[in-house]
Amino acid sequence: MMPGDVRAALSLARSLGLDRLDAQLLLAASLKQNRAWLISHDDAPLAPALAATLVEQMTQRAAGMPLAYLLGEQEFHGLLLTVTPDTLVPRADTETLVDWALELLVPMAGTPSLVDLGTGSGAIALAIKAGHPAAIVSAVDLSPAALTVAQGNAHRLGLDVAFMQGNWWQPLLGRRFDIIVSNPPYIAGGDPHLPALQHEPIGALSPGGDGLSDLLLLIEGAPAHLTKGGWLLLEHGYDQAPAVAEALSVRGFVDLGLRRDLGGQPRVSAGRWPS
């Protein structure tokens, strides 16, 4: 049965087990109103076509579809980004990586260069460019579809980031950067949380195995693409910090550091290439 008004739609959402906030956000987006309007207009009628779309969206959300995909957007580090199922949904914990990169950029003179590997929606690269406009920012992704989303976000936000398609270092032959950042796939193939993320691109979430393969590949290849004294910053799983630190040390990085996410978990490791 299709909901005839706002109150009925919220009741349907509740019966499906949806969070009230999620239901309100879906309704507000469909009606192009804010949540306060919904509360004071719970008897507002819903057109049949809109009601049918809402039922479909609520059913998808109840099945685990990320809210950001249904709304088509996600806020990240103060930027409103378009997201699609071709990209990961940017997480607040990844802002830890952005904040650290911005701190490192501050004392760098002139126009420091930075590249974001595995950019997805462009969230990291765009947030860094917005926070430090003097930086020359590049971004790489293997997925042409993800790059289309990232380029659209850059254009809409008026941020000058150079996007390249390719597998990790492949498009960067002969190029060096002051900072390299990446949020690569790092979830272990057997992680019990992986099935809950089935709606997001699996290749951007997990490399399989113990989840370390892409992290180790980035650590191995980074020195050929860093300036002397340049930094490599990597997001990783909460239990991967020791392995990442060891790999950085063995490869020759110095001044190793670790930052924790909003939940207090080890989330970003970094090292400096000796000068």
Side-chain angles (χ1 to χ4, degrees):
M1 183 176 178
M2 293 295 167
D5 57 25
V6 168
R7 185 187 303 111
L10 290 173
S11 177
L12 172 63
R14 189 164 53 249
S15 71
L16 291 171
L18 255 65
D19 179 84
R20 181 174 176 81
L21 175 60
D22 285 0
Q24 289 178 331
L25 290 172
L26 287 171
L27 262 169
S30 296
L31 294 167
K32 295 180 171 53
Q33 300 288 349
N34 57 37
R35 290 172 57 216
W37 185 92
L38 293 178
I39 294 170
S40 58
H41 294 79
D42 65 351
D43 59 347
L46 301 178
L50 187 147
T53 298
L54 270 172
V55 170
E56 181 180 2
Q57 289 182 329
M58 289 177 176
T59 302
Q60 290 177 310
R61 180 69 186 119
M65 177 72 75
L67 182 66
Y69 289 162
L70 297 171
L71 297 175
E73 60 187 27
Q74 175 75 13
E75 192 274 337
F76 179 81
H77 212 271
L79 303 177
L80 190 60
L81 301 170
T82 295
V83 294
T84 76
D86 294 310
T87 69
L88 289 183
V89 177
R91 266 75 166 176
D93 287 337
T94 300
E95 295 186 2
T96 305
L97 176 63
V98 172
D99 290 339
W100 198 351
L102 290 172
E103 288 177 26
L104 292 172
L105 284 167
V106 169
M108 294 184 180
T111 54
S113 58
L114 178 146
V115 65
D116 172 27
L117 298 174
T119 195
S121 65
I124 293 171
L126 294 170
I128 291 171
K129 181 64 177 178
H132 197 92
I136 299 172
V137 178
S138 303
V140 173
D141 204 282
L142 181 61
S143 166
L147 283 175
T148 297
V149 175
Q151 289 167 330
N153 280 323
H155 178 74
R156 183 172 47 80
L157 295 167
L159 295 170
D160 183 16
V161 172
F163 294 98
M164 292 164 281
Q165 192 273 328
N167 189 28
W168 298 127
W169 306 113
Q170 176 259 321
L172 302 175
L173 185 64
R175 296 188 61 186
R176 291 183 181 268
F177 303 87
D178 297 307
I179 300 178
I180 297 171
V181 299
S182 184
N183 174 20
Y186 57 72
I187 300 177
D191 191 293
H193 300 99
L194 206 52
L197 303 171
Q198 60 179 311
H199 298 281
E200 297 185 70
I202 184 65
L205 289 165
S206 173
D210 61 5
L212 288 168
S213 59
D214 286 328
L215 287 161
L216 297 178
L217 182 151
L218 290 170
I219 292 168
E220 180 62 28
H225 297 281
L226 281 171
T227 57
K228 291 181 178 180
W231 286 87
L232 173 65
L233 279 67
L234 297 170
E235 179 171 334
H236 51 68
Y238 74 95
D239 58 349
Q240 293 172 327
V244 171
E246 180 181 4
L248 286 167
S249 179
V250 169
R251 188 65 179 90
F253 284 87
V254 298
D255 298 335
L256 305 188
L258 174 70
R259 293 287 176 92
R260 295 178 181 271
D261 61 23
L262 298 173
Q265 298 290 349
R267 186 60 58 195
V268 181
S269 291
R272 183 176 63 82
W273 190 241
S275 55

